[in-house]
Amino acid sequence: ARNRAGMYMGFNGTAGVWRRQAIVDGGGWEHDTLTEDLDLSYRAQLNGWNFVYLPQYAAPAELPPEILAFKQQAHRWTKGSVQTGMKLLPRILRSPQLPYAIKSEAFFHLTNTIVHPLMVILTILVYPAFIAVSGPLKDYPLAGMLFGITMFILATCGASTFFIVAQRELFGKSSFFRTLLHLPFLMALGVGMSLSNAKAVLEGVFQDRHSKRNEFVRTPKFGVTGKHAHTAPVDEPTLNDKPASDDLHWWLKKLPLPMLEIAFGTYMLTFIFISIWYSFATASIPFTGMFAAGYFYVGFTSLRSLWILHEDRVAAREAAAEVA
């Protein structure tokens, strides 16, 4: 859509070909963001290069089938987009040559990740909203109905329209109803990822881009073909070379986020019971239910993956001890 509209777009090396001169004119690869391809894309376009998106060509790729790897990838993309925005937006917005349309699209493109902390804030504000509506407006049924409908529309319509249009462009009208069936699950997953991605946004804003904490952590490859997924990455060993004494530190580092996601799911589930018990704002149940399902799914799936990783570490350590 950006390419067809003549706007700036991100261009990567996974599914495309760079001209060497475009890289040189753009200033070369710079490693102060976690999305070097997005960074270079904008710098090259600022120097007059144009990219062409060719939908008739497909480049096979792999999305992580395991939740921790998926989180890791999304965290890197989110943090890198924020870093790229902070690095390049001042230059873009001050450019006298760029038209307003390109500037505005670039602004929204490079700042869209702000939706993740806003999603977390929205989740937290559900309780105050329930109290406010059930307080002075509790005797007005229309108020509760408007409250529920408004929350549902704000949380679903924008994202659902985006996904439906994208799927129709990819697969035609035949995919419309199939897309509708998948939408609730897709959107719930996006909600469940909001805590992890909100953390990435804050890191992108407050961490020094040149610090060691800005390390690039690559996404492991699992060698997925069709529905047959490996339980562990095929290109990385499952044996962790750290001693067993580090297990507690590893758990303490990894556990807080899944536990917080489960807590958020419980928080949202509370309002489903409130709505049902008091027959209040029942129109918001699809909204609160989607949020609860997303947080529970990501939280519990992360715990399960952490346990499997722990078991793999223990088994690998025991096997190494037997060989020794």
Side-chain angles (χ1 to χ4, degrees), residues 14-60:
T14 304
V17 179
W18 277 88
R19 289 182 182 270
R20 178 186 179 91
Q21 193 58 44
I23 296 177
V24 173
D25 290 348
W29 290 101
E30 296 180 1
H31 305 287
D32 55 346
T33 74
L34 290 179
T35 47
E36 299 101 326
D37 48 5
L38 180 63
D39 176 22
L40 178 57
S41 296
Y42 267 79
R43 287 188 279 115
Q45 288 168 109
L46 283 167
N47 283 297
W49 285 89
N50 295 316
F51 300 148
V52 179
Y53 180 78
L54 303 175
Q56 65 268 36
Y57 296 104

Short mmCIF file of all heavy atoms in Angstrom, two decimals, residues 14-60:
data_model
loop_
_atom_site.label_atom_id
_atom_site.label_comp_id
_atom_site.label_asym_id
_atom_site.label_seq_id
_atom_site.Cartn_x
_atom_site.Cartn_y
_atom_site.Cartn_z
N THR A 14 15.46 -10.10 3.30
CA THR A 14 14.89 -11.44 3.31
C THR A 14 14.09 -11.71 2.06
O THR A 14 14.10 -12.81 1.52
CB THR A 14 13.98 -11.61 4.55
OG1 THR A 14 14.74 -11.32 5.72
CG2 THR A 14 13.43 -13.02 4.62
N ALA A 15 13.39 -10.69 1.59
CA ALA A 15 12.50 -10.89 0.46
C ALA A 15 12.73 -9.86 -0.64
O ALA A 15 11.82 -9.45 -1.32
CB ALA A 15 11.04 -10.82 0.92
N GLY A 16 13.97 -9.43 -0.79
CA GLY A 16 14.25 -8.44 -1.81
C GLY A 16 15.71 -8.35 -2.17
O GLY A 16 16.55 -9.06 -1.59
N VAL A 17 16.01 -7.52 -3.13
CA VAL A 17 17.38 -7.35 -3.60
C VAL A 17 17.75 -5.87 -3.52
O VAL A 17 17.01 -5.02 -4.02
CB VAL A 17 17.54 -7.85 -5.05
CG1 VAL A 17 18.97 -7.63 -5.54
CG2 VAL A 17 17.16 -9.32 -5.15
N TRP A 18 18.89 -5.60 -2.89
CA TRP A 18 19.42 -4.24 -2.80
C TRP A 18 20.45 -4.00 -3.90
O TRP A 18 21.26 -4.87 -4.20
CB TRP A 18 20.12 -4.03 -1.45
CG TRP A 18 19.24 -3.70 -0.31
CD1 TRP A 18 18.59 -4.57 0.52
CD2 TRP A 18 18.91 -2.39 0.17
NE1 TRP A 18 17.88 -3.89 1.48
CE2 TRP A 18 18.07 -2.55 1.29
CE3 TRP A 18 19.25 -1.10 -0.24
CZ2 TRP A 18 17.56 -1.48 1.99
CZ3 TRP A 18 18.75 -0.03 0.47
CH2 TRP A 18 17.91 -0.22 1.57
N ARG A 19 20.44 -2.80 -4.46
CA ARG A 19 21.57 -2.36 -5.28
C ARG A 19 22.67 -1.89 -4.35
O ARG A 19 22.41 -1.16 -3.38
CB ARG A 19 21.16 -1.22 -6.21
CG ARG A 19 20.24 -1.64 -7.34
CD ARG A 19 19.95 -0.42 -8.23
NE ARG A 19 19.02 -0.78 -9.30
CZ ARG A 19 19.38 -1.22 -10.49
NH1 ARG A 19 20.66 -1.38 -10.77
NH2 ARG A 19 18.47 -1.52 -11.40
N ARG A 20 23.89 -2.27 -4.64
CA ARG A 20 25.01 -1.87 -3.80
C ARG A 20 25.09 -0.34 -3.67
O ARG A 20 25.33 0.20 -2.58
CB ARG A 20 26.32 -2.42 -4.37
CG ARG A 20 27.56 -2.02 -3.58
CD ARG A 20 28.83 -2.48 -4.27
NE ARG A 20 30.00 -2.05 -3.52
CZ ARG A 20 30.58 -2.78 -2.57
NH1 ARG A 20 30.08 -3.96 -2.25
NH2 ARG A 20 31.63 -2.32 -1.92
N GLN A 21 24.88 0.37 -4.79
CA GLN A 21 25.01 1.82 -4.77
C GLN A 21 23.96 2.47 -3.87
O GLN A 21 24.20 3.51 -3.25
CB GLN A 21 24.90 2.39 -6.19
CG GLN A 21 25.32 3.85 -6.30
CD GLN A 21 26.76 4.08 -5.84
OE1 GLN A 21 27.65 3.30 -6.18
NE2 GLN A 21 26.97 5.14 -5.07
N ALA A 22 22.77 1.83 -3.79
CA ALA A 22 21.72 2.37 -2.91
C ALA A 22 22.16 2.28 -1.45
O ALA A 22 21.91 3.19 -0.66
CB ALA A 22 20.42 1.59 -3.12
N ILE A 23 22.82 1.18 -1.10
CA ILE A 23 23.33 1.02 0.27
C ILE A 23 24.41 2.06 0.56
O ILE A 23 24.42 2.69 1.62
CB ILE A 23 23.88 -0.40 0.47
CG1 ILE A 23 22.75 -1.43 0.32
CG2 ILE A 23 24.55 -0.54 1.82
CD1 ILE A 23 23.21 -2.87 0.42
N VAL A 24 25.31 2.26 -0.42
CA VAL A 24 26.39 3.23 -0.24
C VAL A 24 25.83 4.64 -0.11
O VAL A 24 26.21 5.40 0.80
CB VAL A 24 27.39 3.15 -1.42
CG1 VAL A 24 28.42 4.28 -1.32
CG2 VAL A 24 28.07 1.79 -1.44
N ASP A 25 24.90 5.00 -0.99
CA ASP A 25 24.32 6.35 -0.96
C ASP A 25 23.52 6.59 0.31
O ASP A 25 23.41 7.73 0.78
CB ASP A 25 23.42 6.58 -2.17
CG ASP A 25 24.21 6.69 -3.47
OD1 ASP A 25 25.45 6.82 -3.40
OD2 ASP A 25 23.59 6.64 -4.55
N GLY A 26 22.94 5.51 0.85
CA GLY A 26 22.17 5.64 2.08
C GLY A 26 23.02 5.77 3.32
O GLY A 26 22.49 6.00 4.41
N GLY A 27 24.33 5.60 3.18
CA GLY A 27 25.23 5.73 4.32
C GLY A 27 25.72 4.40 4.85
O GLY A 27 26.43 4.37 5.86
N GLY A 28 25.34 3.30 4.19
CA GLY A 28 25.79 1.99 4.62
C GLY A 28 25.03 1.47 5.83
O GLY A 28 24.18 2.15 6.41
N TRP A 29 25.36 0.23 6.20
CA TRP A 29 24.70 -0.38 7.36
C TRP A 29 25.19 0.29 8.64
O TRP A 29 26.39 0.45 8.85
CB TRP A 29 25.02 -1.88 7.42
CG TRP A 29 24.36 -2.66 6.35
CD1 TRP A 29 24.93 -3.11 5.19
CD2 TRP A 29 23.00 -3.09 6.31
NE1 TRP A 29 24.02 -3.78 4.43
CE2 TRP A 29 22.82 -3.79 5.09
CE3 TRP A 29 21.92 -2.94 7.16
CZ2 TRP A 29 21.60 -4.34 4.73
CZ3 TRP A 29 20.70 -3.49 6.80
CH2 TRP A 29 20.55 -4.19 5.60
N GLU A 30 24.24 0.70 9.47
CA GLU A 30 24.56 1.27 10.77
C GLU A 30 23.90 0.40 11.84
O GLU A 30 22.79 -0.09 11.65
CB GLU A 30 24.07 2.72 10.86
CG GLU A 30 24.77 3.64 9.88
CD GLU A 30 24.29 5.08 9.95
OE1 GLU A 30 23.41 5.36 10.79
OE2 GLU A 30 24.80 5.92 9.18
N HIS A 31 24.58 0.23 12.95
CA HIS A 31 24.15 -0.76 13.94
C HIS A 31 23.65 -0.14 15.24
O HIS A 31 23.69 -0.77 16.29
CB HIS A 31 25.32 -1.71 14.23
CG HIS A 31 25.89 -2.35 13.00
ND1 HIS A 31 25.22 -3.34 12.32
CD2 HIS A 31 27.03 -2.11 12.30
CE1 HIS A 31 25.94 -3.70 11.27
NE2 HIS A 31 27.04 -2.98 11.23
N ASP A 32 23.16 1.09 15.16
CA ASP A 32 22.63 1.73 16.36
C ASP A 32 21.13 1.53 16.52
O ASP A 32 20.52 2.10 17.43
CB ASP A 32 22.96 3.23 16.36
CG ASP A 32 22.47 3.94 15.10
OD1 ASP A 32 22.12 3.25 14.13
OD2 ASP A 32 22.43 5.19 15.12
N THR A 33 20.52 0.74 15.64
CA THR A 33 19.13 0.32 15.82
C THR A 33 19.04 -1.19 15.61
O THR A 33 19.94 -1.79 15.00
CB THR A 33 18.17 1.02 14.83
OG1 THR A 33 18.34 0.44 13.52
CG2 THR A 33 18.42 2.51 14.77
N LEU A 34 17.97 -1.79 16.10
CA LEU A 34 17.79 -3.23 15.94
C LEU A 34 17.08 -3.58 14.63
O LEU A 34 16.86 -4.75 14.34
CB LEU A 34 17.00 -3.79 17.12
CG LEU A 34 17.75 -3.82 18.46
CD1 LEU A 34 16.86 -4.38 19.56
CD2 LEU A 34 19.02 -4.64 18.35
N THR A 35 16.68 -2.58 13.88
CA THR A 35 16.09 -2.81 12.55
C THR A 35 16.93 -2.05 11.53
O THR A 35 16.52 -1.02 10.99
CB THR A 35 14.62 -2.34 12.50
OG1 THR A 35 14.53 -1.02 13.08
CG2 THR A 35 13.72 -3.28 13.27
N GLU A 36 18.14 -2.59 11.28
CA GLU A 36 19.06 -1.91 10.37
C GLU A 36 18.48 -1.75 8.98
O GLU A 36 18.76 -0.78 8.28
CB GLU A 36 20.38 -2.68 10.28
CG GLU A 36 21.13 -2.82 11.59
CD GLU A 36 20.93 -4.19 12.21
OE1 GLU A 36 19.83 -4.75 12.05
OE2 GLU A 36 21.87 -4.69 12.84
N ASP A 37 17.65 -2.73 8.55
CA ASP A 37 17.08 -2.65 7.21
C ASP A 37 16.08 -1.50 7.10
O ASP A 37 16.07 -0.77 6.11
CB ASP A 37 16.44 -3.98 6.81
CG ASP A 37 15.52 -4.54 7.88
OD1 ASP A 37 15.31 -3.87 8.91
OD2 ASP A 37 15.04 -5.68 7.71
N LEU A 38 15.24 -1.32 8.12
CA LEU A 38 14.30 -0.20 8.11
C LEU A 38 15.04 1.14 8.15
O LEU A 38 14.69 2.08 7.43
CB LEU A 38 13.35 -0.31 9.30
CG LEU A 38 12.30 0.79 9.45
CD1 LEU A 38 11.34 0.79 8.26
CD2 LEU A 38 11.52 0.62 10.76
N ASP A 39 16.07 1.20 8.98
CA ASP A 39 16.88 2.41 9.10
C ASP A 39 17.51 2.77 7.75
O ASP A 39 17.40 3.90 7.27
CB ASP A 39 17.96 2.16 10.16
CG ASP A 39 18.94 3.30 10.31
OD1 ASP A 39 18.60 4.44 9.92
OD2 ASP A 39 20.07 3.06 10.77
N LEU A 40 18.16 1.79 7.12
CA LEU A 40 18.81 2.04 5.83
C LEU A 40 17.78 2.36 4.74
O LEU A 40 18.04 3.19 3.86
CB LEU A 40 19.65 0.83 5.42
CG LEU A 40 20.36 0.92 4.07
CD1 LEU A 40 21.28 2.14 4.01
CD2 LEU A 40 21.14 -0.36 3.80
N SER A 41 16.62 1.71 4.80
CA SER A 41 15.57 1.98 3.81
C SER A 41 15.20 3.46 3.79
O SER A 41 15.13 4.09 2.72
CB SER A 41 14.33 1.15 4.13
OG SER A 41 14.57 -0.23 4.00
N TYR A 42 14.97 4.00 4.96
CA TYR A 42 14.58 5.41 5.03
C TYR A 42 15.72 6.33 4.61
O TYR A 42 15.51 7.33 3.91
CB TYR A 42 14.09 5.75 6.44
CG TYR A 42 12.59 5.61 6.59
CD1 TYR A 42 12.00 4.37 6.75
CD2 TYR A 42 11.77 6.73 6.54
CE1 TYR A 42 10.63 4.23 6.87
CE2 TYR A 42 10.39 6.61 6.65
CZ TYR A 42 9.82 5.36 6.81
OH TYR A 42 8.46 5.23 6.91
N ARG A 43 16.93 5.99 5.00
CA ARG A 43 18.06 6.84 4.63
C ARG A 43 18.29 6.81 3.11
O ARG A 43 18.62 7.84 2.51
CB ARG A 43 19.32 6.40 5.38
CG ARG A 43 19.29 6.78 6.85
CD ARG A 43 20.61 6.52 7.54
NE ARG A 43 20.77 5.12 7.92
CZ ARG A 43 21.68 4.31 7.43
NH1 ARG A 43 22.53 4.75 6.51
NH2 ARG A 43 21.76 3.05 7.83
N ALA A 44 18.12 5.64 2.50
CA ALA A 44 18.29 5.54 1.04
C ALA A 44 17.20 6.33 0.32
O ALA A 44 17.48 7.02 -0.67
CB ALA A 44 18.26 4.07 0.62
N GLN A 45 15.97 6.24 0.81
CA GLN A 45 14.87 6.97 0.18
C GLN A 45 15.04 8.49 0.36
O GLN A 45 14.69 9.27 -0.52
CB GLN A 45 13.54 6.49 0.73
CG GLN A 45 13.18 5.08 0.24
CD GLN A 45 12.01 4.46 0.98
OE1 GLN A 45 10.93 4.30 0.45
NE2 GLN A 45 12.24 4.08 2.24
N LEU A 46 15.58 8.89 1.51
CA LEU A 46 15.86 10.31 1.72
C LEU A 46 16.91 10.82 0.74
O LEU A 46 16.97 12.02 0.44
CB LEU A 46 16.33 10.55 3.16
CG LEU A 46 15.24 10.55 4.23
CD1 LEU A 46 15.86 10.47 5.63
CD2 LEU A 46 14.35 11.78 4.10
N ASN A 47 17.74 9.91 0.22
CA ASN A 47 18.77 10.28 -0.76
C ASN A 47 18.33 10.03 -2.19
O ASN A 47 19.17 9.98 -3.10
CB ASN A 47 20.06 9.52 -0.46
CG ASN A 47 20.82 10.12 0.71
OD1 ASN A 47 21.26 11.26 0.66
ND2 ASN A 47 20.95 9.36 1.78
N GLY A 48 17.03 9.84 -2.39
CA GLY A 48 16.49 9.79 -3.74
C GLY A 48 16.23 8.43 -4.33
O GLY A 48 15.73 8.32 -5.46
N TRP A 49 16.54 7.36 -3.62
CA TRP A 49 16.30 6.02 -4.15
C TRP A 49 14.84 5.63 -3.97
O TRP A 49 14.20 5.99 -2.98
CB TRP A 49 17.20 5.00 -3.46
CG TRP A 49 18.62 5.08 -3.94
CD1 TRP A 49 19.61 5.86 -3.43
CD2 TRP A 49 19.18 4.36 -5.04
NE1 TRP A 49 20.78 5.68 -4.14
CE2 TRP A 49 20.54 4.76 -5.13
CE3 TRP A 49 18.69 3.44 -5.95
CZ2 TRP A 49 21.39 4.25 -6.11
CZ3 TRP A 49 19.55 2.92 -6.92
CH2 TRP A 49 20.88 3.33 -6.99
N ASN A 50 14.32 4.88 -4.94
CA ASN A 50 12.95 4.37 -4.87
C ASN A 50 12.97 2.85 -4.82
O ASN A 50 13.78 2.21 -5.49
CB ASN A 50 12.14 4.83 -6.09
CG ASN A 50 11.96 6.34 -6.13
OD1 ASN A 50 11.66 6.95 -5.12
ND2 ASN A 50 12.16 6.92 -7.30
N PHE A 51 12.06 2.29 -4.05
CA PHE A 51 11.91 0.84 -3.98
C PHE A 51 10.65 0.43 -4.73
O PHE A 51 9.70 1.21 -4.84
CB PHE A 51 11.79 0.37 -2.52
CG PHE A 51 12.98 0.72 -1.67
CD1 PHE A 51 12.84 0.99 -0.32
CD2 PHE A 51 14.25 0.77 -2.22
CE1 PHE A 51 13.93 1.31 0.45
CE2 PHE A 51 15.35 1.08 -1.46
CZ PHE A 51 15.20 1.36 -0.11
N VAL A 52 10.65 -0.78 -5.24
CA VAL A 52 9.49 -1.29 -5.97
C VAL A 52 9.05 -2.59 -5.32
O VAL A 52 9.86 -3.51 -5.13
CB VAL A 52 9.82 -1.54 -7.46
CG1 VAL A 52 8.59 -2.11 -8.18
CG2 VAL A 52 10.27 -0.26 -8.12
N TYR A 53 7.78 -2.64 -4.96
CA TYR A 53 7.22 -3.86 -4.36
C TYR A 53 6.56 -4.67 -5.47
O TYR A 53 5.69 -4.18 -6.19
CB TYR A 53 6.20 -3.50 -3.29
CG TYR A 53 5.57 -4.71 -2.62
CD1 TYR A 53 6.26 -5.42 -1.66
CD2 TYR A 53 4.29 -5.13 -2.97
CE1 TYR A 53 5.71 -6.53 -1.05
CE2 TYR A 53 3.72 -6.24 -2.37
CZ TYR A 53 4.44 -6.94 -1.42
OH TYR A 53 3.87 -8.04 -0.82
N LEU A 54 6.98 -5.92 -5.61
CA LEU A 54 6.47 -6.78 -6.68
C LEU A 54 5.69 -7.95 -6.07
O LEU A 54 6.28 -8.96 -5.67
CB LEU A 54 7.64 -7.32 -7.53
CG LEU A 54 8.53 -6.24 -8.17
CD1 LEU A 54 9.72 -6.88 -8.87
CD2 LEU A 54 7.73 -5.38 -9.13
N PRO A 55 4.37 -7.83 -5.97
CA PRO A 55 3.58 -8.87 -5.29
C PRO A 55 3.53 -10.20 -6.03
O PRO A 55 3.15 -11.21 -5.46
CB PRO A 55 2.19 -8.24 -5.19
CG PRO A 55 2.15 -7.25 -6.30
CD PRO A 55 3.54 -6.72 -6.45
N GLN A 56 3.91 -10.20 -7.33
CA GLN A 56 3.85 -11.45 -8.08
C GLN A 56 4.98 -12.41 -7.73
O GLN A 56 4.97 -13.56 -8.14
CB GLN A 56 3.84 -11.17 -9.59
CG GLN A 56 5.12 -10.53 -10.13
CD GLN A 56 5.05 -9.02 -10.14
OE1 GLN A 56 4.46 -8.42 -9.25
NE2 GLN A 56 5.62 -8.40 -11.17
N TYR A 57 5.96 -11.94 -6.96
CA TYR A 57 7.07 -12.80 -6.55
C TYR A 57 6.94 -13.11 -5.06
O TYR A 57 6.67 -12.23 -4.25
CB TYR A 57 8.41 -12.12 -6.83
CG TYR A 57 8.66 -11.89 -8.30
CD1 TYR A 57 8.52 -10.62 -8.85
CD2 TYR A 57 9.01 -12.94 -9.14
CE1 TYR A 57 8.73 -10.39 -10.20
CE2 TYR A 57 9.23 -12.73 -10.49
CZ TYR A 57 9.08 -11.46 -11.02
OH TYR A 57 9.29 -11.26 -12.36
N ALA A 58 7.17 -14.37 -4.72
CA ALA A 58 7.04 -14.80 -3.32
C ALA A 58 8.39 -15.30 -2.82
O ALA A 58 9.11 -15.99 -3.54
CB ALA A 58 5.99 -15.90 -3.19
N ALA A 59 8.72 -14.95 -1.60
CA ALA A 59 9.94 -15.43 -0.96
C ALA A 59 9.55 -16.23 0.28
O ALA A 59 9.07 -15.65 1.25
CB ALA A 59 10.84 -14.26 -0.58
N PRO A 60 9.70 -17.55 0.27
CA PRO A 60 9.32 -18.36 1.43
C PRO A 60 10.08 -17.91 2.68
O PRO A 60 11.27 -17.61 2.63
CB PRO A 60 9.71 -19.78 1.03
CG PRO A 60 9.73 -19.75 -0.47
CD PRO A 60 10.21 -18.37 -0.83
#
